[in-house]
Amino acid sequence: QVQLVESGGGLVQAGGSLRLSCAAVGIIHSVNAMGWYRQAPGNERELVALITSGSGSSANYADSVKGRFTLSRDSAKNTVYLQMNNLKPEDTAVYYCNANLRRFFNSRAYDFWGQGTQVTVSS
């Protein structure tokens, strides 16, 4: 089985910074994509940032976080980091790590989710 281990959430004042990390642990053949989603109270879960391991290993960001958040990946460790700067109260949410990966050659890819880490930004 695969487990996504998350860390880095917490309480911060507006304008502050946090760094989230997520490591995929277990038998992993290949990772197709890895990143972060978030769900604020009363809202649906939405994409925050995602790195795709296809051609160019492109990264995608939600418009609301562009220029403030940076997603990076350490492929050797199957780990992604989300550096969140200039945090705003509207960033308050539970942040969930997501990985789309294959455990074995010629096996289908599955989505795996972390348990979620709370990010609270006070005004």
Side-chain angles (χ1 to χ4, degrees):
Q1 58 183 3
V2 173
Q3 182 180 4
L4 302 185
V5 182
E6 305 166 328
S7 64
L11 175 64
V12 67
Q13 293 189 126
S17 299
L18 287 172
R19 188 191 189 198
L20 305 182
S21 65
C22 174
V25 180
I27 303 299
I28 300 169
H29 177 266
S30 59
V31 177
N32 295 322
M34 199 167 180
W36 291 89
Y37 291 71
R38 68 186 181 187
Q39 187 167 16
N43 292 347
E44 297 181 349
R45 189 171 300 186
E46 64 177 356
L47 173 70
V48 177
L50 188 71
I51 289 180
T52 301
S53 298
S55 180
S57 298
S58 60
N60 297 308
Y61 298 91
D63 289 339
S64 60
V65 307
K66 288 181 179 178
R68 300 188 298 120
F69 292 9
T70 302
L71 183 66
S72 60
R73 178 178 177 181
D74 185 339
S75 297
K77 298 180 179 180
N78 289 322
T79 300
V80 292
Y81 306 91
L82 184 65
Q83 180 66 46
M84 305 185 295
N85 296 326
N86 192 24
L87 284 161
K88 303 176 180 179
E90 51 263 44
D91 295 318
T92 295
V94 177
Y95 284 68
Y96 296 91
C97 182
N98 170 263
N100 183 268
L101 57 85
R102 292 194 297 160
R103 297 192 65 207
F104 306 101
F105 179 74
N106 277 344
S107 297
R108 65 171 293 181
Y110 294 92
D111 278 327
F112 293 83
W113 293 91
Q115 65 180 347
T117 182
Q118 177 70 47
V119 172
T120 302
V121 184
S122 62
S123 60

